[in-house]
Amino acid sequence: MIILISILLLGSFLHYLWKAEAALSKPWTPDNSSIDFSQRPLSPPANETFLSSPGYKLPLRTKGRDIVDQNGERFKLSSINWYGASDELFIPGGLDVQHRDVIASMIRSLGFNSVRMPYSDEMVMFNPEVPAHLLAANRDLVGKRALDVFEATVTALTDAGLAVIVNNHITTATWCCGADPCDAGWANDYLPGGLCRVRQTEAQWVEHWETVMVRFVDNPLVIGADLRNEVRGLWGTMPWEKWAAAAERAGNALLRMNPDWLIVVGGTESGNDLTGVRRRPVELDVENKVVYSAHVYSWSGWGSMGGRYSKRTYSSFVKAMRKNWGYLVEEKLAPVWIGEFGAPDRPGIGDANYWQNLLRYLKEIDADFGYWAINPRKPKDNERESYSLVEDDWVTPVLDYRMKDMTELMRQ
């Protein structure tokens, strides 16, 4: 009888979980303001929001919770991610569809003033010649190698007046991030030989950074280095102190190349956790150069008492944000850039709940942010990217609830 009752209780609990998940997946109906936004042209961004405007005096530094110029004027990062150089094809997406100058102009027209550009260590190590068909709209780059194409793409962005933050995204060139321990941190030489297809030490990681960034030493709109994407260690076991020390070593090496760069240090636990900063901040040889970064997605928060962010109330969500990283901004301790967040163009109720909670909080604290991503297609298999903000032509904007909220955040 006890076994039967236990089976019935377990079955009831599993049925409840199934119904709860099904409810989160139900399609969300856009509100009237989002519908109205999608039906009118996007107004042009103000020139003074771009770092290339005469109102800013470089280089940038940090002051309390803000990134500021030499006159103390805040530069708010309103960023977007343009990925591809971190994936199997080794180059930013879309170069077979549009010229890089056209894509840069499109990003600027959406109001973003900065771009996060990910790369993989494998791209740097092997630096292959890029197949011509991947550069069909950039024929001047045919015959070039991956690092040359990356440099040309970054230069196109800065020529358009956009600031760029380079990001070491992953060791092995592939979609990030899964459970593979080989890509869970900046070095994997501690793992058994033969486990990782691409192996690297910490010293090699720093050398790869130097190889990439030497190309941008004299480009003032390349403003910083996002040292590593979503550090998590072996299945979520990375101590903050270990990562902070490695970030200091890499950051100081880069600052010896150019003391003007900002050094971006992401949280542990896949970018969610910056709680360790309070007890052990990152300290570099050049003062006022550390910017912290957090990543926040609808599935973030799994395994915690409150559950994933897709199902949280606003009060529960904000409590988690303040604990993880928001305290740094609210207490004016250090800048935090939400370097990745995003949602699909056709969200379920859970996705919409997460998005509404996150954007409400970001607006309340006037946050620096970086949306994932501009790309309409994922590189390797040309799979549709539901998080994209442009159509497949790389120029037609998707003006929906996401751009409505981010435009409000940019212009507040």
Side-chain angles (χ1 to χ4, degrees):
M1 179 60 71
I2 294 176
I3 294 175
L4 179 59
I5 292 173
S6 299
I7 292 173
L8 290 173
L9 290 173
L10 178 60
S12 298
F13 178 67
L14 293 175
H15 180 69
Y16 166 78
L17 292 179
W18 177 82
K19 288 185 67 175
E21 291 300 317
L24 292 175
S25 301
K26 288 182 179 179
W28 173 71
T29 301
D31 55 38
N32 289 335
S33 62
S34 296
I35 294 171
D36 291 343
F37 179 86
S38 69
Q39 294 174 345
R40 61 178 186 265
L42 187 64
S43 58
N47 286 331
E48 57 266 25
T49 63
F50 295 94
L51 196 55
S52 55
S53 72
Y56 288 108
K57 183 179 179 181
L58 295 172
L60 298 174
R61 58 189 172 88
T62 66
K63 182 181 180 181
R65 57 145 288 172
D66 293 328
I67 298 167
V68 300
D69 73 352
Q70 290 302 296
N71 294 325
E73 184 74 19
R74 184 188 180 195
F75 178 65
K76 177 179 173 179
L77 289 172
S78 300
S79 315
I80 193 160
N81 286 266
W82 182 4
Y83 65 80
S86 53
D87 292 89
E88 290 90 344
L89 302 182
F90 300 110
I91 61 169
L95 300 182
D96 57 334
V97 179
Q98 294 289 350
H99 193 274
R100 58 195 181 275
D101 292 342
V102 172
I103 297 175
S105 178
M106 177 272 301
I107 290 173
R108 182 181 173 111
S109 72
L110 291 177
F112 297 102
N113 64 14
S114 45
V115 181
R116 181 175 182 252
M117 292 291 288
Y119 74 88
S120 71
D121 290 287
E122 184 177 3
M123 184 265 279
V124 182
M125 294 167 73
F126 296 102
N127 193 22
E129 183 174 323
V130 179
H133 72 277
L134 297 178
L135 301 167
N138 291 263
R139 303 301 298 177
D140 59 314
L141 298 180
V142 172
K144 300 286 188 181
R145 295 190 174 274
L147 277 167
D148 302 318
V149 174
F150 188 80
E151 179 183 3
T153 307
V154 169
T155 302
L157 292 168
T158 58
D159 284 350
L162 296 163
V164 171
I165 295 176
V166 179
N167 163 244
N168 174 231
H169 206 65
I170 195 167
T171 303
T172 308
T174 189
W175 183 257
C176 181
C177 290
D180 188 349
C182 298
D183 295 312
W186 59 97
N188 57 25
D189 57 312
Y190 64 93
L191 293 170
L195 179 63
C196 302
R197 182 174 64 81
V198 180
R199 292 178 61 83
Q200 73 175 6
T201 64
E202 181 181 300
Q204 289 170 323
W205 170 62
V206 175
E207 289 169 5
H208 299 158
W209 260 119
E210 293 168 336
T211 299
V212 172
M213 295 301 282
V214 71
R215 294 170 177 255
F216 307 119
V217 165
D218 297 320
N219 187 335
L221 290 185
V222 176
I223 61 172
D226 183 357
L227 291 178
R228 184 71 181 188
N229 186 69
E230 299 189 359
V231 170
R232 57 203 178 277
L234 189 61
W235 297 297
T237 59
M238 176 59 65
W240 168 255
E241 287 74 11
K242 181 178 180 180
W243 167 226
E248 288 170 346
R249 291 188 288 271
N252 285 329
L254 293 175
L255 290 172
R256 286 192 288 272
M257 297 174 66
N258 185 343
D260 293 343
W261 284 328
L262 299 172
I263 302 300
V264 181
V265 182
T268 55
E269 301 301 318
S270 297
N272 290 305
D273 188 357
L274 286 166
T275 56
V277 177
R278 188 184 291 279
R279 66 179 182 270
R280 203 292 193 195
V282 172
E283 297 180 347
L284 299 172
D285 293 340
V286 181
E287 292 184 342
N288 302 319
K289 290 296 178 181
V290 178
V291 176
Y292 295 102
S293 178
H295 293 181
V296 185
Y297 285 104
S298 63
W299 57 84
S300 303
W302 63 272
S304 63
M305 290 295 293
R308 300 194 312 276
Y309 296 154
S310 59
K311 61 175 67 176
R312 299 228 188 171
T313 64
Y314 184 66
S315 61
S316 173
F317 178 82
V318 169
K319 182 179 180 181
M321 296 301 99
R322 286 176 172 154
K323 175 179 180 292
N324 289 348
W325 59 266
Y327 73 95
L328 292 166
V329 177
E330 294 190 20
E331 298 177 28
K332 300 181 180 180
L333 299 175
V336 178
W337 178 43
I338 310 309
E340 282 190 29
F341 68 101
D345 55 346
R346 293 188 288 271
I349 289 174
D351 289 318
N353 179 62
Y354 142 80
W355 179 269
Q356 290 163 352
N357 286 341
L358 175 61
L359 269 291
R360 178 179 169 184
Y361 183 59
L362 296 185
K363 291 174 186 176
E364 286 182 0
I365 64 172
D366 195 17
D368 298 270
F369 69 92
Y371 180 82
W372 184 278
I374 196 66
N375 305 52
R377 296 278 168 174
K378 298 179 181 180
K380 181 173 180 288
D381 298 317
N382 204 36
E383 178 187 348
R384 180 178 180 270
E385 172 60 89
S386 64
Y387 282 36
S388 176
L389 296 179
V390 293
E391 303 288 357
D392 281 343
D393 61 5
W394 279 85
V395 292
T396 304
V398 178
L399 301 180
D400 59 16
Y401 73 101
R402 301 167 300 172
M403 274 306 303
K404 178 190 84 70
D405 281 323
M406 284 190 288
T407 299
E408 292 171 357
L409 180 55
M410 291 173 195
R411 300 181 182 183
Q412 66 180 29

